[in-house]
Amino acid sequence: MKQTIKQHFVAAVALLAAAVTLPGLDAAAQVSVGAGYLSGRLKESQGGISMTTATDGIYVGFSYRVPLNVHGLSFEPGVFYGYGVGTPDLQGIGVADLNLQDLYVPFRLRIDSPISSKFDVFASAGPTLGLGLSGEIRSMGVGVNLYDSSIMEGSALKRFDVLFGAEAGFMLWNHLQFRLGFDLGLLDVEEGATKAKRSSVHVGVAYAF
């Protein structure tokens, strides 16, 4: 299992490295480091019945903005770590403690519109690769690995997801950024008959070097 996680991580980093070295990109790249609040949702459905599990947590990471040869347009990939906790109510068991750790690799096109020399608004959109690093649900002192299909009996979570994301925000003094965005999962991330999709909303700050 650890080898599988490592392979996905290496592939994501390699893809990011390849993206930022594409020909035709401007050399004036800008790295941003950011962190903030992350609100996640896991919506499960089967036979017309659905249930949504909410998580609250944080994210940290960086993005790499490279201007394109079009005014105001740039390519902004990144790598972010997300951690979320929740308290789902399991039928027949009661309230349980849930925690999830994920890796997100967004690949977005960004457009900036300077209002003044010190104030800039921007928006971006594009696909995001998602990788589940770990997940556990714990009740009455017993913890269960959500990615272990031998324990979850066909209802384990799948580690890999593809999401569509969008983000908007503003930047002060060409460095300090405030960001608000969402990611909507496109793939079924649960094994077996139950269908499940993930989504998240984030709000945070970043500093561009």
Side-chain angles (χ1 to χ4, degrees), residues 55-148:
T55 59
D56 296 286
I58 61 170
Y59 75 89
V60 294
F62 74 93
S63 59
Y64 188 85
R65 185 165 72 95
V66 184
L68 301 174
N69 293 325
V70 179
H71 180 68
L73 191 65
S74 58
F75 178 56
E76 189 177 38
V79 177
F80 293 89
Y81 164 81
Y83 176 79
V85 297
T87 54
D89 190 355
L90 305 179
Q91 294 183 356
I93 298 178
V95 176
D97 294 317
L98 170 71
N99 71 75
L100 296 169
Q101 299 184 62
D102 300 280
L103 185 70
Y104 299 101
V105 183
F107 295 91
R108 294 176 179 166
L109 285 177
R110 169 171 160 169
I111 185 167
D112 286 70
S113 179
I115 304 301
S116 70
S117 60
K118 298 181 180 180
F119 185 74
D120 176 25
V121 296
F122 61 85
S124 63
T128 296
L129 302 180
L131 175 64
L133 299 177
S134 71
E136 183 186 62
I137 190 164
R138 181 174 292 272
S139 179
M140 296 180 291
V142 179
V144 175
N145 182 356
L146 294 174
Y147 292 106
D148 190 340

Side-chain angles (χ1 to χ4, degrees), residues 42-64:
L42 175 66
K43 185 176 181 180
E44 299 172 284
S45 60
Q46 183 179 7
I49 300 175
S50 63
M51 180 183 75
T52 300
T53 300
T55 59
D56 296 286
I58 61 170
Y59 75 89
V60 294
F62 74 93
S63 59
Y64 188 85

